[in-house]
Amino acid sequence: MFKTKLLIGTVLLAASLGTMAAEWQALPGKAPEPADNPTTPAKVELGKMLYHDTRLSANGVLSCNSCHNVMNGGEDNRSGSIGVKDQRGGRSAPTVWNSAFNSVQFWDGRAPSLEAQAKGPVTNPIEMGMKSWDDVVARLKAMPGYQAAFTAAFGPDSISADNAAKAIAAYERTLITPNSPYDKYVGGDKSALTEQQARGMQTFADVGCVSCHSGPAFNGPTLPEGTGFYQKFPANDNGALEAMYNFSADLGRQAETKNAADAHLFKVPTLRNIALTAPYFHNGKVQNLEDAVKIMAKLQLNKDLTAEQSADIVAFLNGLTGEFPKIEMPRLPAYANKAFPAE
Amino acid sequence: MFKTKLLIGTVLLAASLGTMAAEWQALPGKAPEPADNPTTPAKVELGKMLYHDTRLSANGVLSCNSCHNVMNGGEDNRSGSIGVKDQRGGRSAPTVWNSAFNSVQFWDGRAPSLEAQAKGPVTNPIEMGMKSWDDVVARLKAMPGYQAAFTAAFGPDSISADNAAKAIAAYERTLITPNSPYDKYVGGDKSALTEQQARGMQTFADVGCVSCHSGPAFNGPTLPEGTGFYQKFPANDNGALEAMYNFSADLGRQAETKNAADAHLFKVPTLRNIALTAPYFHNGKVQNLEDAVKIMAKLQLNKDLTAEQSADIVAFLNGLTGEFPKIEMPRLPAYANKAFPAE
Ligand code: HEC
Ligand code: HEC
Ligand code: HEC
Ligand code: HEC
Ligand SMILES: [Ca+2]
Ligand SMILES: [Ca+2]
Ligand SMILES: [Ca+2]
Ligand SMILES: [Mg+2]
């Protein structure tokens, strides 16, 4: 199984090196939607309320937005996120921007969809810390404003964990950032990238980054939802880098599947808006993009980039910062006539 | 001094009881602005960024909005707010909605303006916990996006505590909620309040609530910025209520002035959007509006309201929930190429 996966990676590498020019893809203006959860305005509005509502956490301090700040790069610029009671998690929060273009969610791909993912953090004891979804549902039911918003999205008496997750996923599918300089360039506007950025784009292809970071979101080939594109990280042993950054401490997908063949497999992450989401890698141990690029070349491709090559690639990656849609703040329902219970 | 203040209160009481009808005032559509900080779009935009930016707190988790949620009633529905490291404060957070209509800020009025107030929480060790404003300024200066936003608002090289406070205050002056059912009623639309609400409005006047809660924001007469309208709370002793709610534990204005004459003086707070801001009073010990109304009548006016009277007043107070302006989320500057420092 592990072999097959590595093989897929290798095949793609060969293919992409051959047909570079044809493969550059702009980000679609719309994210794919699953058949059983079509995006509607009412769902998006409800999802936005839930996503930004701190009352989905035990102490009422954290919302999804606390760790995935959509006013910014869609995460928290930390190596480990801060959950309820100041607890730290062991992995760095990935950006929620364009997560709709991931075919699986989490660094290890353990959630097959945004819907499946959205139920996790709320009851994770070191994230939002609710005892159960029943408790969340009870809180939501106590607010007439949520009754109304769920009714608009899903029909009467529809407050449930599943529908909350569907609504959050629908909101997330609106969180996409098209029209980066790269997208404009690919669309034909050759002035959208600087000379250095265009050179970096070619280097990104030539050295082999595209063998993994292909597709419109630079997270691999477009696969059906639930099918992950995983790669071993680090792919090559390097004692010095391991001593500095400890990448191998995390078993990656194996921790989930308990399958030794999955050791250190990680989902290939998107590189969109990567300039905004320092620090880098699953453990957030690398502070800046220059270092991240050099480390990738060394550990994944066994190459030492020249200073010019890595500077050019970094310039190119800066061209992947897209246009962020304007978002109106949701109006949150009143917790009427009593104090918030988590006191 | 204490005597004079009580006297002012008494004079107003007599006056207002005489000329009730003339005194009902709608909320102006625009908040007053101080001469030295006129509101401009660039300041409002910058102020919105700062207000919603958790990087103004030591651990990067709390923004002004954490305790004064503008997606909701403008506070946190808690008796004591939760600051950095899960610390609790001793007073309940007042709403930021319509705070621009307060002539002084804080329960004890110790800040003479929104500008003066805005500098406090950031370095308050149990609120946002920054060591100094110098540290905040250093963080802001590290972000080119803030350089640009300050330049747009105040000219080049203008990042400072004073300008940050001015911008936040300018944003707060946009946080006003006109066009409540009450405002429409006062404007001539007699169908805007229900019969019960209109009756409650009359009762609110007749029993004497308006002697303190007068003016367009129901927080007393319009006074120059910096001049507070204070009242003793509790005004009448009541052992049973004191045993239940401990209102006298807080010395109010005396804690600030060290003047015995200021013991238990509190600013008369606004009643706008009061239905959204449970729990009530400076210590947030009272859960619901019915109880708050009865307690006010007893402690401030030495009256026992009938069940009908208090229900009518509550209905009226529900008519003070205004229209909340739509607010677009700010885009926050990137903390580029490094992890957030507070790790
Ligand atoms: C306390 C911090 C925290 C909170 C709160 C939080 N997350 Fe996350 N989120 C993380 C971390 C850390 C990961 C990565 C965990 C992993 O891969 O094992 C993650 C992963 C994700 C992913 C996967 C993205 C990807 O590219 O794989 C999505 C989507 C997501 N979160 C959405 C949400 C939503 C929706 C909520 C609220 C319901 C939420 N998060 C609340 C920290 C948080
Ligand atoms: C063999 C597959 C593979 C190749 C080749 C590859 N990457 Fe990666 N890349 C990954 C995987 C897997 C991760 C996630 C590693 C982790 O943190 O667990 C990753 C992570 C990254 C990250 C950090 C993303 C984040 O959000 O923290 C950057 C930046 C990056 N790659 C850039 C590059 C560049 C530039 C190249 C070429 C020099 C490259 N990659 C080549 C598989 C690859
Ligand atoms: C940790 C919670 C917390 C944070 C963070 C916080 N506040 Fe407050 N705020 C309070 C509390 C509690 C009070 C009342 C304190 C008192 O009266 O002594 C208050 C009072 C105020 C008032 C006075 C309102 C009135 O009616 O008197 C304003 C205005 C205000 N805060 C704005 C802000 C701004 C602006 C920020 C960010 C720069 C901020 N607050 C951050 C809890 C907080
Ligand atoms: C003599 C002055 C005075 C009178 C009369 C008065 N109030 Fe108040 N009111 C205050 C003061 C001062 C406070 C703030 C008390 C505190 O929490 O420290 C207050 C607080 C309140 C609150 C809670 C506000 C909040 O945000 O927690 C409500 C509700 C209220 N008053 C309603 C009424 C009603 C209804 C009446 C008439 C039955 C009334 N008041 C009469 C002075 C007065
Ligand atoms: Ca990151
Ligand atoms: Ca003022
Ligand atoms: Ca309150
Ligand atoms: Mg998907």
PDB file of all heavy atoms in Angstrom, chain A residues 159-180:
ATOM      1  N   ILE A 159     -32.108  21.503  14.297  1.00  0.00           N
ATOM      2  CA  ILE A 159     -30.824  21.715  14.971  1.00  0.00           C
ATOM      3  C   ILE A 159     -30.210  20.358  15.324  1.00  0.00           C
ATOM      4  O   ILE A 159     -30.780  19.587  16.075  1.00  0.00           O
ATOM      5  CB  ILE A 159     -30.986  22.568  16.242  1.00  0.00           C
ATOM      6  CG1 ILE A 159     -31.536  23.952  15.868  1.00  0.00           C
ATOM      7  CG2 ILE A 159     -29.656  22.695  16.976  1.00  0.00           C
ATOM      8  CD1 ILE A 159     -31.653  24.910  17.028  1.00  0.00           C
ATOM      9  N   SER A 160     -29.070  20.063  14.732  1.00  0.00           N
ATOM     10  CA  SER A 160     -28.367  18.803  15.002  1.00  0.00           C
ATOM     11  C   SER A 160     -26.899  18.987  14.667  1.00  0.00           C
ATOM     12  O   SER A 160     -26.517  19.932  13.963  1.00  0.00           O
ATOM     13  CB  SER A 160     -28.939  17.675  14.140  1.00  0.00           C
ATOM     14  OG  SER A 160     -28.580  17.885  12.778  1.00  0.00           O
ATOM     15  N   ALA A 161     -26.074  18.065  15.157  1.00  0.00           N
ATOM     16  CA  ALA A 161     -24.642  18.111  14.851  1.00  0.00           C
ATOM     17  C   ALA A 161     -24.413  18.006  13.348  1.00  0.00           C
ATOM     18  O   ALA A 161     -23.614  18.749  12.775  1.00  0.00           O
ATOM     19  CB  ALA A 161     -23.924  16.974  15.582  1.00  0.00           C
ATOM     20  N   ASP A 162     -25.126  17.099  12.704  1.00  0.00           N
ATOM     21  CA  ASP A 162     -24.938  16.916  11.261  1.00  0.00           C
ATOM     22  C   ASP A 162     -25.253  18.189  10.484  1.00  0.00           C
ATOM     23  O   ASP A 162     -24.511  18.571   9.578  1.00  0.00           O
ATOM     24  CB  ASP A 162     -25.838  15.782  10.735  1.00  0.00           C
ATOM     25  CG  ASP A 162     -25.263  14.412  11.056  1.00  0.00           C
ATOM     26  OD1 ASP A 162     -24.067  14.348  11.440  1.00  0.00           O
ATOM     27  OD2 ASP A 162     -26.000  13.423  10.953  1.00  0.00           O
ATOM     28  N   ASN A 163     -26.354  18.821  10.823  1.00  0.00           N
ATOM     29  CA  ASN A 163     -26.708  20.028  10.086  1.00  0.00           C
ATOM     30  C   ASN A 163     -25.772  21.191  10.418  1.00  0.00           C
ATOM     31  O   ASN A 163     -25.445  21.992   9.541  1.00  0.00           O
ATOM     32  CB  ASN A 163     -28.172  20.405  10.339  1.00  0.00           C
ATOM     33  CG  ASN A 163     -29.122  19.489   9.565  1.00  0.00           C
ATOM     34  OD1 ASN A 163     -28.720  18.882   8.569  1.00  0.00           O
ATOM     35  ND2 ASN A 163     -30.359  19.395  10.029  1.00  0.00           N
ATOM     36  N   ALA A 164     -25.327  21.264  11.657  1.00  0.00           N
ATOM     37  CA  ALA A 164     -24.349  22.294  11.999  1.00  0.00           C
ATOM     38  C   ALA A 164     -23.098  22.106  11.148  1.00  0.00           C
ATOM     39  O   ALA A 164     -22.562  23.065  10.572  1.00  0.00           O
ATOM     40  CB  ALA A 164     -24.009  22.227  13.492  1.00  0.00           C
ATOM     41  N   ALA A 165     -22.639  20.869  11.037  1.00  0.00           N
ATOM     42  CA  ALA A 165     -21.442  20.579  10.252  1.00  0.00           C
ATOM     43  C   ALA A 165     -21.665  20.884   8.771  1.00  0.00           C
ATOM     44  O   ALA A 165     -20.786  21.437   8.101  1.00  0.00           O
ATOM     45  CB  ALA A 165     -21.041  19.118  10.446  1.00  0.00           C
ATOM     46  N   LYS A 166     -22.842  20.552   8.268  1.00  0.00           N
ATOM     47  CA  LYS A 166     -23.145  20.872   6.869  1.00  0.00           C
ATOM     48  C   LYS A 166     -23.103  22.383   6.626  1.00  0.00           C
ATOM     49  O   LYS A 166     -22.594  22.847   5.598  1.00  0.00           O
ATOM     50  CB  LYS A 166     -24.536  20.335   6.484  1.00  0.00           C
ATOM     51  CG  LYS A 166     -24.563  18.852   6.194  1.00  0.00           C
ATOM     52  CD  LYS A 166     -25.941  18.418   5.682  1.00  0.00           C
ATOM     53  CE  LYS A 166     -25.876  16.974   5.184  1.00  0.00           C
ATOM     54  NZ  LYS A 166     -27.187  16.478   4.732  1.00  0.00           N
ATOM     55  N   ALA A 167     -23.668  23.119   7.542  1.00  0.00           N
ATOM     56  CA  ALA A 167     -23.703  24.576   7.378  1.00  0.00           C
ATOM     57  C   ALA A 167     -22.290  25.159   7.435  1.00  0.00           C
ATOM     58  O   ALA A 167     -21.916  26.012   6.619  1.00  0.00           O
ATOM     59  CB  ALA A 167     -24.585  25.201   8.459  1.00  0.00           C
ATOM     60  N   ILE A 168     -21.489  24.689   8.385  1.00  0.00           N
ATOM     61  CA  ILE A 168     -20.105  25.183   8.485  1.00  0.00           C
ATOM     62  C   ILE A 168     -19.350  24.858   7.199  1.00  0.00           C
ATOM     63  O   ILE A 168     -18.641  25.702   6.646  1.00  0.00           O
ATOM     64  CB  ILE A 168     -19.401  24.578   9.723  1.00  0.00           C
ATOM     65  CG1 ILE A 168     -19.992  25.165  11.013  1.00  0.00           C
ATOM     66  CG2 ILE A 168     -17.894  24.833   9.672  1.00  0.00           C
ATOM     67  CD1 ILE A 168     -19.511  24.483  12.295  1.00  0.00           C
ATOM     68  N   ALA A 169     -19.532  23.640   6.692  1.00  0.00           N
ATOM     69  CA  ALA A 169     -18.850  23.261   5.450  1.00  0.00           C
ATOM     70  C   ALA A 169     -19.304  24.146   4.284  1.00  0.00           C
ATOM     71  O   ALA A 169     -18.494  24.563   3.452  1.00  0.00           O
ATOM     72  CB  ALA A 169     -19.117  21.785   5.141  1.00  0.00           C
ATOM     73  N   ALA A 170     -20.587  24.462   4.245  1.00  0.00           N
ATOM     74  CA  ALA A 170     -21.095  25.330   3.165  1.00  0.00           C
ATOM     75  C   ALA A 170     -20.433  26.708   3.253  1.00  0.00           C
ATOM     76  O   ALA A 170     -20.069  27.300   2.224  1.00  0.00           O
ATOM     77  CB  ALA A 170     -22.617  25.451   3.251  1.00  0.00           C
ATOM     78  N   TYR A 171     -20.290  27.221   4.469  1.00  0.00           N
ATOM     79  CA  TYR A 171     -19.591  28.507   4.642  1.00  0.00           C
ATOM     80  C   TYR A 171     -18.144  28.383   4.178  1.00  0.00           C
ATOM     81  O   TYR A 171     -17.633  29.229   3.434  1.00  0.00           O
ATOM     82  CB  TYR A 171     -19.670  28.936   6.111  1.00  0.00           C
ATOM     83  CG  TYR A 171     -18.855  30.173   6.468  1.00  0.00           C
ATOM     84  CD1 TYR A 171     -18.998  31.362   5.749  1.00  0.00           C
ATOM     85  CD2 TYR A 171     -17.959  30.149   7.539  1.00  0.00           C
ATOM     86  CE1 TYR A 171     -18.258  32.501   6.086  1.00  0.00           C
ATOM     87  CE2 TYR A 171     -17.223  31.279   7.885  1.00  0.00           C
ATOM     88  CZ  TYR A 171     -17.374  32.448   7.158  1.00  0.00           C
ATOM     89  OH  TYR A 171     -16.641  33.564   7.496  1.00  0.00           O
ATOM     90  N   GLU A 172     -17.477  27.316   4.576  1.00  0.00           N
ATOM     91  CA  GLU A 172     -16.071  27.133   4.197  1.00  0.00           C
ATOM     92  C   GLU A 172     -15.905  27.083   2.677  1.00  0.00           C
ATOM     93  O   GLU A 172     -14.886  27.529   2.146  1.00  0.00           O
ATOM     94  CB  GLU A 172     -15.499  25.868   4.854  1.00  0.00           C
ATOM     95  CG  GLU A 172     -15.333  26.041   6.367  1.00  0.00           C
ATOM     96  CD  GLU A 172     -14.917  24.763   7.079  1.00  0.00           C
ATOM     97  OE1 GLU A 172     -15.499  23.691   6.777  1.00  0.00           O
ATOM     98  OE2 GLU A 172     -14.042  24.816   7.949  1.00  0.00           O
ATOM     99  N   ARG A 173     -16.916  26.553   1.989  1.00  0.00           N
ATOM    100  CA  ARG A 173     -16.813  26.479   0.525  1.00  0.00           C
ATOM    101  C   ARG A 173     -16.878  27.863  -0.126  1.00  0.00           C
ATOM    102  O   ARG A 173     -16.591  27.999  -1.318  1.00  0.00           O
ATOM    103  CB  ARG A 173     -17.885  25.534  -0.045  1.00  0.00           C
ATOM    104  CG  ARG A 173     -17.609  24.093   0.338  1.00  0.00           C
ATOM    105  CD  ARG A 173     -18.395  23.043  -0.452  1.00  0.00           C
ATOM    106  NE  ARG A 173     -17.920  21.735   0.018  1.00  0.00           N
ATOM    107  CZ  ARG A 173     -18.509  21.004   0.985  1.00  0.00           C
ATOM    108  NH1 ARG A 173     -19.635  21.432   1.537  1.00  0.00           N
ATOM    109  NH2 ARG A 173     -17.978  19.867   1.383  1.00  0.00           N
ATOM    110  N   THR A 174     -17.252  28.869   0.656  1.00  0.00           N
ATOM    111  CA  THR A 174     -17.209  30.239   0.117  1.00  0.00           C
ATOM    112  C   THR A 174     -15.861  30.902   0.400  1.00  0.00           C
ATOM    113  O   THR A 174     -15.604  32.004  -0.085  1.00  0.00           O
ATOM    114  CB  THR A 174     -18.316  31.124   0.733  1.00  0.00           C
ATOM    115  OG1 THR A 174     -18.019  31.366   2.122  1.00  0.00           O
ATOM    116  CG2 THR A 174     -19.693  30.470   0.621  1.00  0.00           C
ATOM    117  N   LEU A 175     -15.033  30.228   1.183  1.00  0.00           N
ATOM    118  CA  LEU A 175     -13.757  30.832   1.593  1.00  0.00           C
ATOM    119  C   LEU A 175     -12.666  30.473   0.600  1.00  0.00           C
ATOM    120  O   LEU A 175     -11.770  29.673   0.881  1.00  0.00           O
ATOM    121  CB  LEU A 175     -13.394  30.369   3.013  1.00  0.00           C
ATOM    122  CG  LEU A 175     -14.418  30.724   4.099  1.00  0.00           C
ATOM    123  CD1 LEU A 175     -14.017  30.122   5.445  1.00  0.00           C
ATOM    124  CD2 LEU A 175     -14.577  32.239   4.230  1.00  0.00           C
ATOM    125  N   ILE A 176     -12.757  31.047  -0.552  1.00  0.00           N
ATOM    126  CA  ILE A 176     -11.768  30.748  -1.579  1.00  0.00           C
ATOM    127  C   ILE A 176     -11.176  32.058  -2.109  1.00  0.00           C
ATOM    128  O   ILE A 176     -11.806  33.106  -2.052  1.00  0.00           O
ATOM    129  CB  ILE A 176     -12.366  29.888  -2.709  1.00  0.00           C
ATOM    130  CG1 ILE A 176     -13.458  30.652  -3.441  1.00  0.00           C
ATOM    131  CG2 ILE A 176     -12.951  28.585  -2.141  1.00  0.00           C
ATOM    132  CD1 ILE A 176     -14.088  29.836  -4.557  1.00  0.00           C
ATOM    133  N   THR A 177      -9.937  31.966  -2.554  1.00  0.00           N
ATOM    134  CA  THR A 177      -9.202  33.187  -2.919  1.00  0.00           C
ATOM    135  C   THR A 177      -8.661  33.115  -4.347  1.00  0.00           C
ATOM    136  O   THR A 177      -7.473  32.870  -4.566  1.00  0.00           O
ATOM    137  CB  THR A 177      -8.020  33.412  -1.949  1.00  0.00           C
ATOM    138  OG1 THR A 177      -7.094  32.331  -2.085  1.00  0.00           O
ATOM    139  CG2 THR A 177      -8.478  33.508  -0.516  1.00  0.00           C
ATOM    140  N   PRO A 178      -9.508  33.365  -5.304  1.00  0.00           N
ATOM    141  CA  PRO A 178      -9.056  33.342  -6.701  1.00  0.00           C
ATOM    142  C   PRO A 178      -8.263  34.618  -7.041  1.00  0.00           C
ATOM    143  O   PRO A 178      -8.006  35.461  -6.170  1.00  0.00           O
ATOM    144  CB  PRO A 178     -10.373  33.296  -7.475  1.00  0.00           C
ATOM    145  CG  PRO A 178     -11.379  33.943  -6.585  1.00  0.00           C
ATOM    146  CD  PRO A 178     -10.916  33.692  -5.169  1.00  0.00           C
ATOM    147  N   ASN A 179      -7.906  34.721  -8.312  1.00  0.00           N
ATOM    148  CA  ASN A 179      -7.320  35.965  -8.843  1.00  0.00           C
ATOM    149  C   ASN A 179      -6.015  36.396  -8.194  1.00  0.00           C
ATOM    150  O   ASN A 179      -5.741  37.594  -8.066  1.00  0.00           O
ATOM    151  CB  ASN A 179      -8.324  37.123  -8.760  1.00  0.00           C
ATOM    152  CG  ASN A 179      -9.607  36.820  -9.513  1.00  0.00           C
ATOM    153  OD1 ASN A 179      -9.559  36.119 -10.528  1.00  0.00           O
ATOM    154  ND2 ASN A 179     -10.720  37.294  -9.017  1.00  0.00           N
ATOM    155  N   SER A 180      -5.203  35.439  -7.803  1.00  0.00           N
ATOM    156  CA  SER A 180      -3.847  35.785  -7.365  1.00  0.00           C
ATOM    157  C   SER A 180      -3.074  36.238  -8.602  1.00  0.00           C
ATOM    158  O   SER A 180      -3.493  35.976  -9.738  1.00  0.00           O
ATOM    159  CB  SER A 180      -3.170  34.558  -6.762  1.00  0.00           C
ATOM    160  OG  SER A 180      -2.936  33.606  -7.791  1.00  0.00           O
TER     161      SER A 180
END
